[in-house]
Amino acid sequence: MRESWRWFGPLDKISLPEIVQTGASGIVTALHEIPYGEVWPREVIAARSAQIAAVGGLQWAVVESLPVDERIKRGEGDLSQLFANYRQSMANLAACGIRTICYNFMPLLDWTRTRLDAPVAGGGTALRFDQTEMAIFEIFMLGREAAANTYSSDILAAASAQFEAMTKDDKDTLLASIMAGLPGAYDRYSLAELRRALDLYQGMDHAALRANHHRFLTEIIPTAAELGMRMCVHPDDPPRDILGLPRIVSTKADIAWLLDAVDESANGVTLCSGSLGAHPDNDVPQIARQFAHRINFAHLRNVSKEPDGSFQEAAHLAGDTDMVALIRILLDEEQRRKQAGSLDCDIVFRPDHGHELLSDIGRGTHPGYPLVGRMRGLAELRGVIHALSQKPLFHGQQG
Ligand code: DNO
């Protein structure tokens, strides 16, 4: 498996020379400065790629994300120019030797948490999604009345009591935490702007969003196949509808639908163990086994789920997903590809998120993307990969 590291570009507080010291060699990044829907020019891609390659043998391995414009997700109006732009960006990336693209089809919001600094036993902080805080946000702050039907009476009672005790600062922090997941884009919504943005999705249900995703695949995958590129959809995070917006990449059945919709190897998936792992019905190693041949990229992290639907990001080898079992499946898939004669059988992965630990605290890195916490995660994952990749010492003599 190939170790990679997410870097948010020149504005990232973590520098490329620091990344070299983590031991990762692949860089996962995007041209975050280019507005959604516009073409990524070849010269700009080439310049960023050269900037990366100039440091300690790093290489731009994966694009995360080539964002899908909201108008495509909403299926709004004449989309031909947007699809053409997307394909042009793909061609420009391929011309620079970058062939793996991670994207998502989550309406409006990307990953969503209610708290960015939940304390971790022993010190440090983690990202957390708390059902009560989410209820406070959507019912009492955003004023989405229909949301009340989606929570238990216990959560509603706790939310109402907690909301009464919140100061203005507490409310601002909750809004900022929920907005923090908008990927790489530096604009954030106020409550009023969020209400307006949600209005644009009025009436959109799962079937309509699926139809729009299908159309996107039909427009994009043939180009990907021609260019020898791999598209990898990122699962929903959290894997459930949010703020009344439908989500369609949350479960095993969703992934099966998506991969069958355009049954080409270029139409693949990002196996994000943390996103999928937050759904109580998802058995992540089992999902990985079922779709192994279409996993083009992996995000490895873990979550601990709670009975009320809340969850908190755990250390990479702790939490609810059996990371060793999952890595074994990915290693087996690499072997299968090798035996099938593939020249490019490494699965690129990155340690996804990490706790803020030690000197991470106060450094102001992207939420979920600190240096020490992710480096700890990477080191733990590397240890598992290394151990599982060894030939058994006493082969055939066990038992
Ligand atoms: C969160 C990330 C996501 C991911 C996008 C891919 O930390 O995994 O923001 O980059 O959903 O499009």
Side-chain angles (χ1 to χ4, degrees):
M1 292 177 68
R2 169 133 192 241
E3 297 175 8
S4 70
W5 185 275
R6 190 175 200 180
W7 179 60
F8 290 95
L11 294 180
D12 195 324
K13 294 201 168 118
I14 298 171
S15 68
L16 292 170
E18 284 179 300
I19 296 173
V20 173
Q21 291 190 35
T22 69
S25 63
I27 290 292
V28 176
T29 193
L31 299 181
H32 293 292
E33 63 276 26
I34 299 192
Y36 288 15
E38 287 182 17
V39 174
W40 288 15
R42 184 169 163 177
E43 322 74 70
V44 183
I45 300 168
R48 187 64 51 84
S49 174
Q51 178 187 5
I52 293 168
V55 184
L58 296 177
Q59 187 207 11
W60 187 350
V62 176
V63 174
E64 180 175 346
S65 300
L66 183 55
V68 179
D69 192 276
E70 291 296 312
R71 283 167 289 176
I72 295 182
K73 295 179 187 172
R74 292 198 298 266
E76 184 181 288
D78 177 11
L79 298 174
S80 48
Q81 189 61 50
L82 285 174
F83 287 129
N85 288 356
Y86 203 95
R87 286 190 291 263
Q88 187 60 51
S89 297
M90 293 166 74
N92 293 347
L93 285 161
C96 297
I98 304 161
R99 294 207 150 72
T100 306
I101 297 180
C102 171
Y103 73 99
N104 76 72
F105 219 83
M106 291 178 250
L108 205 57
L109 299 176
D110 193 320
W111 59 269
T112 309
R113 300 289 182 273
T114 61
R115 211 180 302 171
L116 306 179
D117 60 353
V120 167
T125 62
L127 304 186
R128 174 176 173 79
F129 182 96
D130 190 281
Q131 279 287 85
T132 304
E133 287 169 346
M134 195 64 203
I136 292 174
F137 179 74
E138 49 178 341
I139 302 171
F140 300 113
M141 289 173 59
L142 198 60
R144 216 176 69 75
E145 280 160 23
N149 305 325
T150 62
Y151 291 95
S152 69
S153 51
D154 285 355
I155 297 270
L156 290 175
S160 161
Q162 212 169 299
F163 178 67
E164 288 305 314
M166 277 169 88
T167 62
K168 177 169 184 315
D169 274 2
D170 294 337
K171 292 175 197 165
D172 289 348
T173 305
L174 182 54
L175 173 66
S177 307
I178 289 174
M179 287 298 108
L182 293 177
Y186 296 109
D187 43 328
R188 300 289 181 250
Y189 299 116
S190 65
L191 282 174
E193 287 161 346
L194 181 58
R195 277 187 210 108
R196 274 197 293 281
L198 285 168
D199 277 348
L200 297 174
Y201 275 94
Q202 275 293 339
M204 166 89 50
D205 60 9
H206 294 87
L209 187 63
R210 275 214 174 94
N212 295 342
H213 198 163
H214 192 182
R215 178 165 169 208
F216 171 75
L217 293 174
T218 320
E219 293 275 352
I220 294 313
I221 296 297
T223 306
E226 250 164 58
L227 294 168
M229 298 185 98
R230 307 173 174 118
M231 297 299 295
C232 352
V233 67
H234 188 282
D236 306 324
D237 183 5
R240 59 177 84 157
D241 294 354
I242 201 151
L243 301 182
L245 297 165
R247 306 261 230 176
I248 53 169
V249 195
S250 295
T251 62
K252 184 167 75 171
D254 289 342
I255 298 175
W257 177 86
L258 196 79
L259 299 184
D260 285 350
V262 175
D263 194 11
E264 290 262 3
S265 59
N267 178 25
V269 64
T270 299
L271 194 281
C272 178
S273 56
S275 301
L276 292 168
H279 192 298
D281 299 341
N282 283 345
D283 174 341
V284 183
Q286 201 272 327
I287 291 178
R289 191 176 302 110
Q290 179 161 341
F291 303 114
H293 56 301
R294 300 283 276 276
I295 296 176
N296 291 333
F297 181 36
H299 287 178
L300 300 181
R301 70 177 166 86
N302 228 315
V303 292
S304 297
K305 296 187 285 298
E306 296 161 31
D308 71 0
S310 306
F311 61 87
Q312 183 155 321
E313 299 196 359
H316 288 70
L317 302 187
D320 297 341
T321 292
D322 182 344
M323 193 58 78
V324 176
L326 175 59
I327 290 176
R328 190 185 291 279
I329 289 160
L330 298 176
L331 289 170
D332 285 351
E333 171 60 16
E334 286 186 327
Q335 280 309 313
R336 188 197 64 77
R337 292 179 191 184
K338 205 169 181 176
Q339 277 157 16
S342 162
L343 296 175
D344 182 18
C345 44
D346 276 354
I347 296 178
V348 178
F349 79 98
R350 62 177 182 80
D352 193 20
H353 300 185
H355 293 164
E356 287 202 359
L357 303 174
L358 305 168
S359 59
D360 290 332
I361 312 282
R363 197 171 162 186
T365 44
H366 265 69
Y369 289 89
L371 177 60
V372 178
R374 274 191 292 165
M375 187 160 87
R376 171 182 161 180
L378 177 59
E380 292 180 353
L381 297 167
R382 177 185 294 144
V384 173
I385 294 167
H386 191 75
L388 291 177
S389 305
Q390 300 304 304
K391 300 242 171 341
L393 262 183
F394 302 107
H395 189 64
Q397 293 180 17
Q398 291 103 324

